[in-house]
Amino acid sequence: MKSAPRAFTLGVMALYLNGGKLEELSFFRSLLREAARQGIEAYVFTPEDVADDKRRIYAHVYDESRGGWRRRWMPFPDVVFDRCRYQNTPRFRKLREFRARYGDLLYVNRPLANKSAIHTLLSKDKEIRPHLPETVMYRGVKELADFVRKHGIAFVKPINGTGGRGVVRIERDGSGRYIVRGRDKRRRIIPKRRVGLESAGRLLERLGLNENCLLQQGIELTLPNGRVHDYRLLMQKTGDGRWDATGCAGRVGAARSVTSNLHGGGKAVSVDRLLKHTFPKGSQAETVKADMIALGHRVVERLESHFRDMCELALDLAVDRAGRVWLLEINPKPAREVFRRIGEAETYRRAIARPVEYARWLYEKEK
Ligand SMILES: Nc1ncnc2c1ncn2[C@@H]1O[C@H](COP(=O)(O)OP(=O)(O)O)[C@@H](O)[C@H]1O
Ligand SMILES: [Mg+2]
C-alpha cells in the first residue's frame, strides 16, 4: 500500500510594490485554495518578511472563514514558488540574496537570463533556430537601417522589458522615410511618426531605448482590421514531472498598438478561432498549432537543460501569413488570466493546479 504523502509547506514568493502592497493577490488566493484542496499548507511571503532570527516568516495567509488576507508567523517553506518578476531595484536584490542564502530550499522555478542571453542560448539549437527572428543588441541607426532593409520591419525593445513596455516598431514608407510607433517605457502609445533615419535614432534615445535593447526582425502580424495579434502558449510540468502544453490563447492588440499584451489593452481570444480566422482553408490551422506545441516542448527542454528544473514557462508566439511560427519571447513568470478571459475555465483551473501538483511531486522526489 502506498503511504500517504508527507505534508509540506509551500511558500509563494512575491515582492512588495511601493507602498507595501502585493500584486497578483487574486491569483495567490486561487493558488492557496488549490493547495488547501490538495492538503498542502501554503502562504505568500516576500524576502522582507523573514524574521531577524532567520527561522520564521511573517507570512500572508488567506482566511477563508472571514474572507480576507491575514498575517501569521510561519515556519520556512519546504518548497518555494517564485513569482517575482525582474526589476532593477533594491527589492529585487533582496530576492537574489534570499535565493543565495536559502539555496537549500526546493525551488519549483528559477530566474532566467535576459532576452538577449536567452536568444543566444536558443539559437544554438538547430530545431529552434528557424523559429527565432534575427536578433542582435541595438547599437545604433546603421544596423537599424540594415534590419529594416532586410526584413521590412524592425523592433527595438528592452532586454529586460515586460508587458509591452518600451516596444517600438520601425519600418519604411514609400518615400524612404521611417515610420516609428510603439509604446514608451510606461506603456503609453507613441503616436505614429514619419522621420529620417537620424531622427528615428534620436527618438529612440529620448525614449531611453538606446541602451540594453534588442534589435529584432519584425514579423508582420497585422490583421485585416488593422490590429496586431499573436499567441501565448503555457507549458507546465504535471504532477508526475513531465512537460505538457496546458493551454494556448490568442491575443489581439488594442487599436493603434504594435503590441498585443493584455495589460496594454489587448483582447484574449480562443486560439482555434484566431487560427481559423487567419487560415480558413484546410488543415493549416491544425499544422500551425502542432508546430507551436512542438516548439514549446523543444524550448522548455533546452532551457531546462541549461537553467535546471523549472515548473512552467510561457512562450509568446507569432505566426506569419505563411504559417511559420516565430518565438518572440519567453516568460518565466507567466500570468494565466488569459484562459479565464477566453472562458476556458478548465484550462485556467489546471494552470493553477499544476504548479502545486508539481511542487508535491518535487518534494516527494527530493525528500
Ligand atoms: N519581432 C516582433 N515582431 C512582431 N511583433 C513583435 C515583435 N516583438 C514584439 N512584438 C509585439 O510586442 C509584444 C511585446 O513584445 P515581447 O517581446 O513579448 O515583450 P514583453 O516582455 O514586453 O511582453 C509582443 O507580444 C508582440 O505583440
Ligand atoms: Mg511578451
Side-chain angles (χ1 to χ4, degrees), residues 336-351:
R336 41 224 90 203
E337 196 53 26
V338 64
F339 301 113
R340 205 173 56 80
R341 290 217 200 167
I342 58 176
E344 288 191 14
E346 179 52 24
T347 309
Y348 181 66
R349 193 201 62 74
R350 243 195 306 168

Side-chain angles (χ1 to χ4, degrees), residues 147-167:
F147 259 60
V148 173
R149 198 174 310 115
K150 186 166 169 196
H151 299 297
I153 310 169
F155 271 75
V156 173
K157 53 188 180 184
I159 56 170
N160 282 318
T162 55
R165 291 180 189 81
V167 176

Side-chain angles (χ1 to χ4, degrees), residues 115 162-164 230 232 251 261 316 329 331:
K115 296 181 189 197
T162 55
D230 60 14
R232 176 48 86 85
R251 301 183 300 185
N261 304 64
D316 285 347
E329 194 215 357
N331 298 274

Side-chain angles (χ1 to χ4, degrees), residues 119 134-138 143 147 213-216:
H119 177 86
E134 189 182 351
T135 306
V136 297
M137 287 301 290
Y138 173 64
E143 269 171 314
F147 259 60
C213 280
L214 298 179
L215 171 60
Q216 185 168 76

Side-chain angles (χ1 to χ4, degrees), residues 127-183:
E127 279 182 40
I128 298 174
R129 203 182 314 130
H131 299 282
L132 300 178
E134 189 182 351
T135 306
V136 297
M137 287 301 290
Y138 173 64
R139 306 228 180 267
V141 290
K142 202 195 139 303
E143 269 171 314
L144 173 63
D146 292 344
F147 259 60
V148 173
R149 198 174 310 115
K150 186 166 169 196
H151 299 297
I153 310 169
F155 271 75
V156 173
K157 53 188 180 184
I159 56 170
N160 282 318
T162 55
R165 291 180 189 81
V167 176
V168 171
R169 166 179 167 138
I170 301 124
E171 63 212 292
R172 287 185 93 171
D173 68 5
S175 61
R177 316 237 311 153
Y178 288 82
I179 305 174
V180 182
R181 57 209 160 116
R183 303 244 182 193

Side-chain angles (χ1 to χ4, degrees), residues 89-108:
T89 61
R91 253 189 204 126
F92 198 78
R93 281 197 286 285
K94 283 217 171 120
L95 171 86
R96 289 223 176 91
E97 282 161 25
F98 181 94
R99 292 194 74 120
R101 179 188 279 264
Y102 304 106
D104 53 339
L105 303 176
L106 287 173
Y107 292 85
V108 294

